[in-house]
Amino acid sequence: MSLLQRRFSRRGFLVAMAALAAGAGGWFLFGRKGTPRLPSLHLGDSHDLSGPEPYDVIIIGSGFAGTVLGRDLVQAGYRTLILESGMAPGGPIDGRVGGLEVYESEGDTEYPLASTRIRAVGGTSLMWTGRCDRLHPLDFERNAYTPAGAAWPIGYAEMDPYYTRAERTLNVRGGRLSAFSPPRKHGFPHQAEWWRVAGLNSMLGKIGVALDESPVSRGAEGDSTMRVQRDLLPAFTASPLGHLVPLITATRLLTDANGRVTGLETKNLDGQARVLRARAYVVACGGVESPRLLLLSRSERAPEGIGNQSGLVGRCFMEHPNVSFSGKVPGMWQLMPLEISRCHQYYESFKRDGLGSVLLVFKRTRQEPGWLDIGASIEMKSSGTNAVSLAPDRVDALGDPGTRLRFDFSEEDRKTLDRTRTLIRSLYQKLGARDVTEGALDWSHHHMGTCRMGDDPRTSVTDRDLRVHGLQNLYVLGSSVFVTAGASHPTPLIVALAHRLSDHLSSRLRTLTA
């Protein structure tokens, strides 16, 4: 079985189990020694929305982005509502949630859009593997993959303290890093055991490959990947200022002629509509649903959707495709039963040659002695033709248009994939491997770029503070605001941006009126 097959099976298993558990009313989130336990969440329902308005902030989406922001805001003393369209652990069972999942995709990538999302409290953190590599400084600088006329409005140096803060929030465990890794001013919150990857480091070092002990997020008990429902949301819902209401879908953002969002139209699964009001609104429901909500919010003043003066809402969708190989390597019996290391050595050299960056992963599994898996995640180029749009001929359970994704590989993407395959095969050759085989292309389920940030309203959707251009009190948060994708994992930057936005809102809310 190849790395791809194992990876696909594991991710497919996680998606299936999350969906199954949601249908059963909750997820078993395992603690020490495998003891199942459900998170202690204080959940609201539609009746709880009859309290005093306006809220200080309404956040749409309960994944890492929305939850981390919500936690920061209630700690700062702001009354905050998080809305979640899906079900919650231990909550009521309602099969109608599936009727909200109306997706179709087209293009040469054959992208499985419907199976790359989870509509539930905690979002896709349910299938997160916990990897916490940072983007590189070069990713934030102008490079071969920077979109024409656009650039990141923020730099690595500005984000470094927020990355450090995010790593504390994510309870990251990391070890020794090579000189090719992104620079950092502070160590990891927790140190990884060096001996876990000593065998791989020794073996690959002999052929000149520098490995990194990949940083990983751990749950509160330290023996499992962090999950939003178990490890982050309880602190939000325990606050008298924090309210989490599942099974409520945001359907429209309402605006006035003064560039303000005046209300959020929501519906429950019975189709009953209610308008909720706040001083500020944050759309944090992922790289697919966030642009969809903006596009659904059409009006006479915004016929193409809210915040879409540039025509970029939904455009420039990016993902991380993965290639994977397996091969039998002499001496593998000397390694630990399970070892995983990543390699940043070729990350910037690919980009300096006009290609996308690449992050290699080396994996040794206990099930197959003697075999070494080598895979890679690659950066895709930002392309305006890769776009999330509405599918008016297909409607969801609430009567709204579903989602269509157009997604193709660019010429540069194909060149990056080919060069990555050549690199991996050359490494196997140096190791003296035999029976080297390649698995099918896989995806990381990272949805990025559909509401990108920037200083120029003509080439971006939000500004450097994540506020939608032309609107005073609407923000977008998550990987949808990424200008480029890099090849590293998006979650640490998502959380870093959530902390950064909380600082901005904490200051702005002092003067922002309803």
Side-chain angles (χ1 to χ4, degrees), residues 257-498:
N258 298 317
R260 291 181 58 84
V261 175
T262 58
L264 174 67
E265 180 187 275
T266 66
K267 290 182 180 179
N268 62 19
L269 290 173
D270 293 323
Q272 296 173 329
R274 178 187 177 91
V275 175
L276 301 173
R277 304 188 189 280
R279 294 198 287 155
Y281 303 79
V282 180
V283 180
C285 43
V288 173
E289 289 295 333
S290 289
R292 177 175 179 249
L293 177 58
L294 298 184
L295 293 171
L296 285 173
S297 302
R298 294 172 291 189
S299 67
E300 185 176 342
R301 286 183 295 272
E304 300 302 320
I306 196 171
N308 200 24
Q309 303 92 321
S310 64
L312 284 171
V313 171
R315 294 190 177 275
C316 305
F317 179 88
M318 297 175 289
E319 241 273 33
H320 288 143
N322 307 302
V323 297
S324 60
F325 289 77
S326 290
K328 196 160 189 177
V329 178
M332 284 294 293
W333 62 270
Q334 298 175 351
L335 303 185
M336 295 292 295
L338 176 62
E339 297 187 67
I340 303 176
S341 280
R342 280 170 168 73
C343 172
H344 291 256
Q345 185 169 342
Y346 308 95
Y347 192 105
E348 295 191 7
S349 62
F350 269 50
K351 184 166 285 189
R352 295 189 191 283
D353 287 343
L355 302 175
S357 54
V358 59
L359 182 63
L360 297 184
V361 56
F362 298 83
K363 185 175 182 180
R364 159 78 164 88
T365 63
R366 86 174 62 239
Q367 291 86 358
E368 300 183 54
W371 290 82
L372 175 67
D373 297 327
I374 306 178
S377 294
I378 77 155
E379 175 182 16
M380 293 188 72
K381 192 166 189 177
S382 175
S383 171
T385 59
N386 290 338
V388 172
S389 61
L390 300 180
D393 53 328
R394 299 187 62 190
V395 298
D396 65 15
L398 298 177
D400 286 320
T403 306
R404 177 181 295 130
L405 172 66
R406 176 75 193 186
F407 194 32
D408 295 296
F409 285 119
S410 68
E411 180 181 354
E412 292 87 347
D413 297 334
R414 297 186 184 280
K415 288 180 179 178
T416 304
L417 285 165
D418 288 343
R419 180 165 168 179
T420 302
R421 293 183 175 107
T422 299
L423 170 63
I424 291 174
R425 289 188 179 278
S426 72
L427 296 179
Y428 275 119
Q429 185 176 20
K430 292 178 181 178
L431 290 169
R434 61 182 186 275
D435 301 328
V436 176
T437 58
E438 180 181 0
L441 192 75
D442 187 20
W443 296 97
S444 301
H445 301 189
H446 300 157
H447 301 157
M448 301 168 285
T450 50
C451 299
R452 75 182 178 210
M453 64 190 305
D455 289 329
D456 188 345
R458 297 171 300 178
T459 58
S460 58
V461 176
T462 80
D463 65 15
R464 62 175 52 240
D465 294 318
L466 306 185
R467 183 173 58 86
V468 174
H469 290 300
L471 292 166
Q472 300 178 39
N473 60 340
L474 178 62
Y475 297 80
V476 178
L477 174 63
S479 53
S480 62
V481 306
F482 288 14
V483 178
T484 56
S488 293
H489 306 88
T491 303
L493 183 55
I494 291 173
V495 175
L497 288 171

Side-chain angles (χ1 to χ4, degrees), residues 191-204:
Q191 287 298 305
E193 297 87 349
W194 66 269
W195 49 266
R196 289 183 180 271
V197 293
L200 277 178
N201 286 343
S202 175
M203 171 174 286
L204 274 300

Side-chain angles (χ1 to χ4, degrees), residues 20-42:
L20 178 63
W27 298 272
F28 286 105
L29 301 175
F30 291 88
R32 196 173 302 280
K33 298 182 180 178
T35 303
R37 64 182 181 90
L38 289 171
S40 177
L41 296 179
H42 302 284

